[in-house]
Amino acid sequence: MFLPSKKDLKTALEVFAVFHWISIAFFIITTVTIVNLYLVVFTPYWPVTVLILIWLAFDWKTPERGGRRFTCVRRWCLWKHYSNYFPLKLLKTHDISPSHNYILVCHPHGLLASAWFGQFATEASGFSKIFPGITPYVLTLGAFFWMPFLREYVMSVGACSVSQSSIDFLLTHKGTGNMIIVVVGGLAECRYSLPGSSTLVLKNRSGFVRTALQHGVALIPAYAFGETDLYNQHIFTPGGFVNRFQKWFQSMVHIYPCAFYGRGFTKKSWGLLPYNRPVTTIVGEPLPMPKIENPSQEIVAKYQALYIDALRKLFDQHKTKFGISETQELEII
């Protein structure tokens, strides 16, 4: 009888962990929708759906009020398999004092922000040991909190809404030692996520700088080396029909539809799983910000330039360790 080796089992668990992460939202949304439609249309148990909607209305603001984390979920062994798949590694250049609050800005977004999730929404990379006394809050799109059960699952790892009211609450009502993690490039960076790319959408993203000034909290640059190597993209002919459709779609919903692909369940197959390539996130030195309640655009631009300089310095200091040419620079657009 054929018995899988320990290596085969380890590989299977890692693939399952990554597949779970990229498919869980679709699975929960589909299941919740079908089950509730069935209860309402075909059974006398429609009050169950009503109770779920009442709870949703009652709990609607929770993602903007610090969420509802469960440390045990952040420590699931599933996430360790997820991290080992790539593998992911989290490194710091300076100690972070728990007597202050921070906004950590992670670059780049990549296609699915794989490093952002694995290193800050779970304990797989040892966040609590690397940054003792610091509580991370990963911020994501509010749409993830619209669906019952999905919102509970997302909040359980410490995720909150990326809305301004959510950020203000976390920086003013949760004491000190809080670290807000944002990926400011967002979905707009997906189109630039190509192997070897170092293009960031940042030039016109100044909201995080304004928020840091209003609250007087330090900004921390972080760069995930290898994030853009996890998927390939097919680039359509500029000006062609598909390319024009992509631009039209982006103008309508602010999301650029990418034709991306990775590997399948086996190593040499084609699919939508990311390639298992190493990703190392380097967390830089906190950049102190003065507290200015109503900063002018000139002040915001000044500190945004300082932040970009600090990010470039971080990138240049570490890029050659990860196979990036000494002459390659960050492209800020």
Side-chain angles (χ1 to χ4, degrees):
M1 182 182 295
F2 172 76
L3 292 175
S5 66
K6 289 184 178 180
K7 182 179 179 181
D8 292 334
L9 287 174
K10 177 177 179 293
T11 301
L13 287 170
E14 291 171 359
V15 170
F16 171 77
V18 174
F19 174 73
H20 159 270
W21 174 68
I22 66 175
S23 64
I24 190 64
F26 174 79
F27 176 78
I28 292 179
I29 291 172
T30 303
T31 302
V32 170
T33 302
I34 292 175
V35 169
N36 280 280
L37 283 174
Y38 178 78
L39 291 176
V40 171
V41 177
F42 298 106
T43 78
Y45 300 111
W46 57 266
V48 174
T49 299
V50 174
L51 288 174
I52 291 174
L53 293 176
I54 291 173
W55 167 250
L56 182 63
F58 174 79
D59 196 54
W60 188 256
K61 288 292 185 180
T62 299
E64 297 184 355
R65 296 295 180 268
R68 189 164 44 242
R69 74 173 57 225
F70 291 96
T71 302
C72 59
V73 177
R74 288 177 55 86
R75 296 182 184 276
W76 277 356
C77 63
L78 179 72
W79 306 133
K80 192 64 178 176
H81 294 302
Y82 173 91
S83 178
N84 291 339
Y85 171 89
F86 298 95
L88 302 179
K89 191 173 184 180
L90 181 63
L91 300 174
K92 66 178 180 181
T93 60
H94 294 77
D95 290 332
I96 306 296
S97 170
S99 59
H100 304 283
N101 290 329
Y102 306 90
I103 298 178
L104 184 145
V105 191
C106 195
H107 310 272
H109 181 280
L111 264 301
L112 298 179
S114 304
W116 164 86
F117 173 80
Q119 293 167 335
F120 300 111
T122 79
E123 287 294 330
S125 295
F127 180 92
S128 295
K129 293 180 180 179
I130 298 172
F131 300 105
I134 300 295
T135 302
Y137 292 91
V138 291
L139 303 188
T140 188
L141 296 173
F144 283 107
F145 306 102
W146 296 350
M147 177 63 67
F149 299 103
L150 175 61
R151 69 199 308 271
E152 279 69 34
Y153 189 71
V154 173
M155 284 192 289
S156 69
V157 297
C160 294
S161 171
V162 76
S163 67
Q164 188 63 50
S165 61
S166 173
I167 296 173
D168 292 339
F169 182 90
L170 292 171
L171 294 177
T172 56
H173 290 76
K174 302 291 283 186
T176 59
N178 301 303
M179 180 184 287
I180 294 174
I181 297 99
V182 294
V183 188
V184 296
L187 295 175
E189 265 181 8
C190 291
R191 64 183 297 184
Y192 305 106
S193 183
L194 296 164
S197 170
S198 56
T199 300
L200 303 179
V201 177
L202 186 57
K203 187 177 294 184
N204 296 319
R205 302 291 174 103
S206 60
F208 71 101
V209 179
R210 182 178 298 277
T211 298
L213 288 168
Q214 289 172 336
H215 292 277
V217 300
L219 290 173
I220 304 178
Y223 196 91
F225 290 92
E227 178 70 49
T228 58
D229 297 331
L230 300 182
Y231 284 98
N232 286 319
Q233 277 195 62
H234 181 78
I235 305 301
F236 294 97
T237 304
F241 174 76
V242 177
N243 181 251
R244 284 188 281 115
F245 170 78
Q246 289 175 309
K247 292 181 178 180
W248 171 82
F249 190 88
Q250 183 182 34
S251 68
M252 296 297 291
V253 299
H254 304 290
I255 297 175
Y256 190 83
C258 301
F260 67 93
Y261 59 94
R263 57 164 283 184
F265 291 106
T266 58
K267 197 164 187 177
K268 294 184 179 181
S269 62
W270 180 93
L272 295 179
L273 294 179
Y275 294 113
N276 51 327
R277 295 168 179 168
V279 182
T280 300
T281 299
I282 308 292
V283 178
E285 181 180 7
L287 179 65
M289 294 279 164
K291 187 171 183 178
I292 306 174
E293 291 187 5
N294 295 298
S296 65
Q297 188 56 45
E298 290 75 18
I299 293 295
V300 172
K302 171 187 173 182
Y303 283 96
Q304 183 183 20
L306 291 175
Y307 172 80
I308 291 176
D309 287 343
L311 177 62
R312 288 188 186 277
K313 181 180 178 181
L314 179 71
F315 179 81
D316 290 338
Q317 285 178 339
H318 299 278
K319 61 186 179 183
T320 56
K321 302 174 187 176
F322 303 100
I324 299 176
S325 168
E326 183 69 44
T327 58
Q328 184 172 336
E329 297 183 352
L330 279 181
E331 182 181 358
I332 307 296
I333 60 173

